[in-house]
Amino acid sequence: MINYFNDFNNPREFLFIKNDFLKKEIFDHYNSKIKALNWIQDERDSFWNNKISEFIDCSKIHEEIINLINKNFSLFKNNYFVKLSKNEFSSLSSHKKFFAENGQRIIAHYKIGIYFGNFDGGEIVFKDQNFIYKPKPNDCIIFKIHKDYNHYTEQINFGTRYAYQDFLIYTEEPFMP
């Protein structure tokens, strides 16, 4: 595996972690705005009702991600946060929606999470990789969208965990509609 990202610990072949990712002023800027966001109804999955933020300008976060990644990747620029509060957890997240029935990739190659808030717990479990990651505020995790990287989030023990989520698209692969 070629490591397309700079300055990462590489605990697994397609999973990358960077602690203290954002510059302090950028982290503080978004961390202070998160609590005032409007949280929307998710029509696709009732679990995520009032846990997904409205659109927010994340251009400062995007700049930091672009500076980190290889030029062969594009950023999807999803511009939202998700939140889990005390005693909440998420079930297994499957990446089936990123693939057509024939197995052809249709959207993104990697998922990004950057963590905000004041929380304890909320470990991310990659069961098939036998890997558990305990995120801290301002950690960045990037992992391959693949059936082997399906994951879930363990219970939040204290506070609220907010996560900026986005996707990377590898741009050198030919695209055929």
Side-chain angles (χ1 to χ4, degrees), residues 49-132:
N49 283 341
N50 298 312
K51 292 181 177 78
I52 298 176
S53 76
E54 64 188 346
F55 176 85
I56 179 173
D57 176 10
C58 293
S59 57
K60 293 178 183 182
I61 292 175
H62 297 160
E63 288 175 21
E64 294 299 307
I65 295 170
I66 296 295
N67 289 334
L68 176 72
I69 62 176
N70 181 293
K71 66 181 179 179
N72 294 335
F73 285 93
S74 301
L75 185 61
F76 195 67
K77 298 184 181 177
N78 238 1
N79 297 356
Y80 72 91
F81 290 82
V82 297
K83 71 175 177 176
L84 290 175
S85 299
K86 184 177 179 182
N87 297 326
E88 293 181 326
F89 57 91
S90 72
S91 59
L92 186 66
S93 175
S94 170
H95 294 114
K96 290 179 184 175
K97 64 185 173 189
F98 294 95
F99 297 91
E101 287 183 23
N102 66 0
Q104 178 69 36
R105 181 178 307 280
I106 57 174
I107 299 181
H109 294 87
Y110 286 85
K111 186 172 184 179
I112 302 169
I114 303 171
Y115 299 92
F116 295 84
N118 182 16
F119 62 91
D120 180 58
E123 292 84 352
I124 304 164
V125 179
F126 295 90
K127 188 175 179 181
D128 293 337
Q129 295 298 315
N130 195 28
F131 181 71
I132 299 173

